Amino acid sequence: IPQSRMVSFSIIAHVDHGKSSLSQRLLELQGNVATGEESALDTLEVEKSRGITVKAVTASMMYGEWLVNLVDTPGHVDFAHEVRRSLAACDGALLLVDAAQGIEAQTLSVAAAARSAGVPLIAACSKCDLVTADPDAVALALCASGLVEDDDPDRVLRLSAKTGLGVPEVLPAVLGFAKQEASSRSLPLRARVVDSRYDAKRGAVCVVRVVDGVLRENQKIIFLSRPEEALSVQEVGLLTPAPLRSSSLPAGCVGYAICGLRDVRRALVGDTVAESAVEPLEAGFQPAIPALYASVFPPDGALFDDMARAVDRLALNDAAVTVEREPPRPSLGSGLRVGFLGVLHMDVFRQRLRDEFDADVLFCAPLVPYRLVKNDATVVDVKSLDDWPAVDDDEVEILEPVVDVDVLVPTSFLGAAVQTLEPRAKRQLALETTGETTVLKYVLPWARVVDGLSEELANATRGYASLAVDHAPRFETARGLVKVDIALNGTTVDALSFVAARDDAVKKGRDAAASLKTHVPRHQFEVVVQAKIGGKVLARDRIPPFRKDVLTKGGKTVGGGDVTRKKKLLEKQKQGKKRQKTIGNVALSQDAFWAVLNVK
Ligand code: GDP
Ligand code: MG
């Protein structure tokens, strides 16, 4: 297939606007998957159980004389980096808008991401089968919004993944994205690493877009970030999305490559694969800036190295995650400091560690990246709350990350949206009403965004408002923030400390203590839980002693003769212990760590 007959496009949209359903339909139509088969795209456990896409998936299909590569992307804000990364490897994008919902906040932000990546867009209305669908109005709004270059509402595609309406028109429309320039297949090899994942048998499996030359099996290659290490290509092929082995991938192709790379930290997304030291390709996207950090620790009995290996392997498949060694903490030992783009991102990572790597890891409550300005003007990052200044320390200025938040709301719910945003916001930047919708722009402390803002906004506006966050935080002076400490039997547990606004801190401290009371298992001795600010105790709760002996139930020993049953019970108890962390002499499970995090 000539390079001029190869095209790669991604499908982008607000969450739930039908990207994965349309992608599945397209794959059915081209015969890649059988009709009625379960989703070929949302294949991760976490995607099936939550019904959302978290990973972009690449699939190549034959369309007449053409090789078309489709990338289904996630829609949730926390995975915006995945979308930007995908766009960097595409010739164009299809912007979907749910014909019953209309334009939402993420519609604007993914369209803006495409524009800044220089990726042309065509627009389509999805779910046109719904009785509430109004594709004509949505097409008009799309053209009026200036999101797409083509401002003829008649050329906005009308689709339904459910009935198949309009689906055959999608591929002919995206062929227009094909680059007309001359073939670059005779040039020296350059391929961009678009994505990577760890495979237990094969090591790193990279998804690459070949830009120049041809990538072949048995070829000697290097990753330009570490040119001294030569590797040999073991296998290449197309993704349909199932791997389809082929002997070579010429320029224009998107496919997979396996080169026996065991050290997974090497197969980095954005790197260039070449035969010799040539000019590297531009990555095409900015590295992700973590919006919050969580300290993670192996549970009792597990090894730090095993945990670190699992985290590295999963991080290979998630270019938005950052991983650093953390200095050992008195209460918790050695751990890692892992950076995420949001709470959902962190939670998905935690679930994937368990689902895909069988690693049960304890996550501490996440912390946004605060900074301190000392009186000699030095700036330090707050890596753990041990570094937080004392309550009466006036010498140190605290800086907090702030972000711009765009909210799109039907004007009839404007009051409710403002009431939700105003108490959290630092300031309002804009309020623009055009007809029935209003766009609100605020500067918010990032900590107040991750603290459940989108849920609260959805509740206040019955789901009509949508929110987009510009993920690159800036730093501004923070006022009135205090650290709340939690002590168990008199010992402060650094992993349970959190930061709150001064006016909120007393309530949050009390709630945290009360919540811990129900989440810390009873011990053979009394456990006293205290919440404190500085030396001042805000709340005190006691967990009475209780001897948890699994072999006695209601005072009676479980059937003396039944050894296997006894063994099973003991085994279960051991399993339960494995996921705990003993701090001082108190055992804490993941629930206890989350109990503090979830205090509202
Ligand atoms: P994504 O988040 O953009 O990938 O959206 P999904 O493809 O996962 O779809 C979100 C929801 O919309 C699912 O419940 C789908 O069944 C539903 N859906 C998707 N496409 C259509 C469609 O064409 N018609 C109708 N009625 N529902 C659809
Ligand atoms: Mg999806």
Side-chain angles (χ1 to χ4, degrees):
I1 302 165
Q3 200 173 342
S4 56
R5 292 254 170 79
M6 289 184 177
V7 69
S8 183
F9 79 106
S10 45
I11 303 186
I12 57 174
H14 191 81
V15 66
D16 269 352
H17 279 205
K19 298 174 291 293
S20 298
S21 305
L22 176 66
S23 305
Q24 179 82 6
R25 268 288 182 167
L26 287 167
L27 292 175
E28 280 175 17
L29 203 63
Q30 305 316 318
N32 286 42
V33 299
T35 312
E37 212 172 274
E38 73 168 71
S39 175
L41 301 143
D42 292 340
T43 52
L44 299 176
E45 241 351 274
V46 65
E47 295 181 314
K48 286 190 238 164
S49 65
R50 292 175 191 237
I52 54 166
T53 307
V54 306
K55 271 303 291 176
V57 176
T58 289
S60 300
M61 0 181 215
M62 285 307 298
Y63 176 70
E65 312 246 273
W66 287 77
L67 182 65
V68 180
N69 185 69
L70 162 157
V71 184
D72 177 31
T73 62
H76 195 282
V77 220
D78 280 24
F79 304 106
H81 187 260
E82 197 68 15
V83 178
R84 286 198 290 274
R85 198 178 52 63
S86 305
L87 285 168
C90 285
D91 303 310
L94 177 67
L95 177 69
L96 279 192
V97 181
D98 185 323
Q101 297 289 324
I103 294 172
E104 296 196 63
Q106 285 301 114
T107 315
L108 302 179
S109 68
V110 293
R115 202 176 315 121
S116 72
V119 171
L121 283 182
I122 50 177
C125 294
S126 60
K127 308 193 191 179
C128 290
D129 60 283
L130 291 172
V131 283
T132 47
D134 190 352
D136 293 338
V138 171
L140 270 175
L142 260 169
C143 293
S145 69
L147 292 179
V148 282
E149 290 95 279
D150 187 345
D151 60 359
D152 181 355
D154 288 337
R155 278 201 292 271
V156 173
L157 298 172
R158 267 75 164 169
L159 312 174
S160 164
K162 191 167 179 193
T163 64
L165 169 88
V167 179
E169 294 159 40
V170 173
L171 293 187
V174 304
L175 298 185
F177 292 138
K179 299 242 161 54
Q180 297 306 317
E181 64 221 41
S183 170
S184 59
R185 283 179 191 169
S186 51
L187 296 174
L189 169 71
R190 287 199 301 173
R192 180 186 286 124
V193 180
V194 181
D195 198 1
S196 285
R197 72 180 167 82
Y198 177 77
D199 181 277
K201 293 198 191 78
R202 315 290 312 262
V205 179
C206 300
V207 178
V208 295
R209 177 144 210 218
V210 184
V211 176
D212 296 330
V214 182
L215 182 66
R216 292 191 176 81
E217 279 184 20
N218 300 321
Q219 196 173 18
K220 297 277 176 277
I221 53 122
I222 49 173
F223 284 80
L224 287 185
S225 63
R226 277 263 297 268
E228 63 280 6
E229 194 176 338
L231 295 158
S232 172
V233 180
Q234 296 176 350
E235 184 179 327
V236 295
L238 295 174
L239 294 157
T240 68
L244 180 70
R245 189 169 181 170
S246 66
S247 54
S248 67
L249 293 175
C253 277
V254 180
Y256 69 95
I258 301 172
C259 353
L261 205 56
R262 284 272 150 200
D263 179 3
V264 295
R265 279 162 300 191
R266 293 279 328 281
L268 288 183
V269 169
D271 206 348
T272 305
V273 173
E275 276 184 297
S276 54
V278 287
E279 184 70 18
L281 295 165
E282 267 178 50
F285 59 93
Q286 298 294 318
I289 303 161
L292 49 89
Y293 291 89
S295 298
V296 303
F297 296 90
D300 284 351
L303 295 172
F304 172 81
D305 288 345
D306 292 344
M307 176 188 84
R309 197 172 308 122
V311 168
D312 273 343
R313 286 175 177 174
L314 179 53
L316 178 63
N317 194 231
D318 191 340
V321 155
T322 61
V323 183
E324 298 164 62
R325 252 334 253 268
E326 179 161 283
R329 296 243 208 124
S331 61
L332 293 160
S334 291
L336 293 171
R337 185 168 182 258
V338 189
F340 299 100
L341 294 184
V343 175
L344 176 65
H345 184 208
M346 174 181 77
D347 213 23
V348 162
F349 191 85
R350 189 167 69 96
Q351 189 180 339
R352 290 187 67 191
L353 267 178
R354 207 173 45 211
D355 292 346
E356 297 164 38
F357 294 89
D358 200 23
D360 241 312
V361 168
L362 289 172
F363 278 63
C364 294
L367 189 67
V368 299
Y370 292 105
R371 280 181 185 168
L372 304 178
V373 186
K374 301 270 171 74
N375 54 1
D376 62 356
T378 49
V379 180
V380 290
D381 289 324
V382 175
K383 294 223 161 168
S384 92
L385 288 183
D386 293 346
D387 306 334
W388 199 261
V391 184
D392 49 10
D393 190 345
D394 301 329
E395 310 272 280
V396 178
E397 185 191 7
I398 299 167
L399 301 182
E400 64 181 343
V402 299
V403 286
D404 290 344
V405 171
D406 291 349
V407 174
L408 205 63
V409 60
T411 307
S412 51
F413 285 99
L414 180 58
V418 169
Q419 259 175 32
T420 310
L421 291 157
E422 206 63 51
R424 294 168 179 249
K426 294 201 101 165
R427 59 188 173 273
Q428 194 186 61
L429 293 180
L431 187 158
E432 287 158 21
T433 299
T434 24
E436 284 160 25
T437 50
T438 297
V439 178
L440 289 163
K441 275 183 198 292
Y442 279 95
V443 177
L444 270 106
W446 174 243
R448 305 299 301 264
V449 177
V450 294
D451 192 18
L453 177 65
S454 66
E455 292 80 24
E456 229 170 88
L457 191 64
N459 289 342
T461 61
R462 284 197 257 140
Y464 278 106
S466 59
L467 173 111
V469 179
D470 178 357
H471 261 108
R474 305 183 300 278
F475 286 84
E476 286 187 5
T477 306
R479 288 207 175 73
L481 290 182
V482 290
K483 177 171 75 151
V484 180
D485 284 319
I486 304 288
L488 298 176
N489 283 348
T491 311
T492 300
V493 181
D494 50 358
L496 295 178
S497 302
F498 59 91
V499 170
R502 192 180 288 276
D503 48 359
D504 231 13
V506 174
K507 182 181 174 297
K508 280 195 166 172
R510 289 200 177 123
D511 290 353
S515 167
L516 272 170
K517 189 180 165 178
T518 61
H519 284 96
V520 174
R522 289 186 177 199
H523 286 67
Q524 292 175 26
F525 42 85
E526 184 184 71
V527 177
V528 175
V529 184
Q530 289 173 312
K532 305 196 241 183
I533 297 178
K536 201 173 141 232
V537 177
L538 309 173
R540 184 178 186 281
D541 270 292
R542 54 177 288 277
I543 302 164
F546 171 70
R547 186 160 189 278
K548 192 183 173 212
D549 187 343
V550 288
L551 299 183
T552 53
K553 261 198 180 156
K556 245 173 61 191
T557 306
V558 177
D562 190 352
V563 182
T564 45
R565 188 166 142 68
K566 259 193 210 170
K567 260 197 190 145
K568 260 190 200 152
L569 281 166
L570 284 170
E571 197 52 42
K572 224 168 138 189
Q573 194 186 40
K574 225 166 86 195
Q575 284 286 327
K577 274 216 179 105
K578 225 176 93 186
R579 293 184 190 171
Q580 294 179 338
K581 189 91 201 168
T582 307
I583 294 174
N585 51 5
V586 180
L588 293 176
S589 65
Q590 180 71 72
D591 286 353
F593 286 91
W594 287 134
V596 175
L597 161 67
N598 287 325
V599 165
K600 284 279 130 55

